Amino acid sequence: MSYILRIAIHEKSWERQLSEIIQLCKDVNIEEVYLMEQCHQVIMSPYPISKHKRMANIYKKMKVELERNGIIYSVNIATIIGHCDTKTSSS
């Protein structure tokens, strides 16, 4: 069995998060991480394009270290278009 870690990345703490993610992946054999800008299960609000551009630059930096450590990654940008991958109260 393989595992995927799904995690919201915060602009102000991404470097600490990256270090923790890499260590966790090594400790418990997680092969892939799924990065998000926000946890849309808690709150879902649109960000301005400037925020997405800053986060894109952060993801580029994270990519280098994740790949160097043999960790597969993906980025969930679905929240920028109002998509939610869980049931809502109106569903």
Side-chain angles (χ1 to χ4, degrees), residues 35-53:
L35 309 174
M36 304 181 300
E37 287 184 19
Q38 62 180 313
C39 180
H40 49 263
Q41 292 176 320
V42 176
I43 185 170
M44 193 160 111
S45 59
Y47 286 135
I49 193 69
S50 58
K51 165 78 171 181
H52 296 300
K53 288 180 179 181

Side-chain angles (χ1 to χ4, degrees), residues 76-89:
N76 176 7
I77 60 169
T79 54
I80 67 172
I81 56 169
H83 170 77
C84 181
D85 63 358
T86 59
K87 286 187 177 183
T88 62
S89 59

Side-chain angles (χ1 to χ4, degrees), residues 8 23 27 34 60:
Q23 189 60 53
D27 289 347
Y34 183 64
K60 286 178 189 177

Side-chain angles (χ1 to χ4, degrees), residues 9 14 18 21-22 33 35 55-75:
I9 301 301
W14 73 269
L18 177 59
I21 290 167
I22 291 170
V33 294
L35 309 174
M55 290 304 296
N57 286 327
I58 288 170
Y59 293 139
K60 286 178 189 177
K61 293 173 186 174
M62 293 181 79
K63 167 193 180 299
V64 172
E65 286 303 306
L66 292 171
E67 286 180 343
R68 192 173 69 76
N69 284 275
I71 301 168
I72 301 165
Y73 72 95
S74 58
V75 177

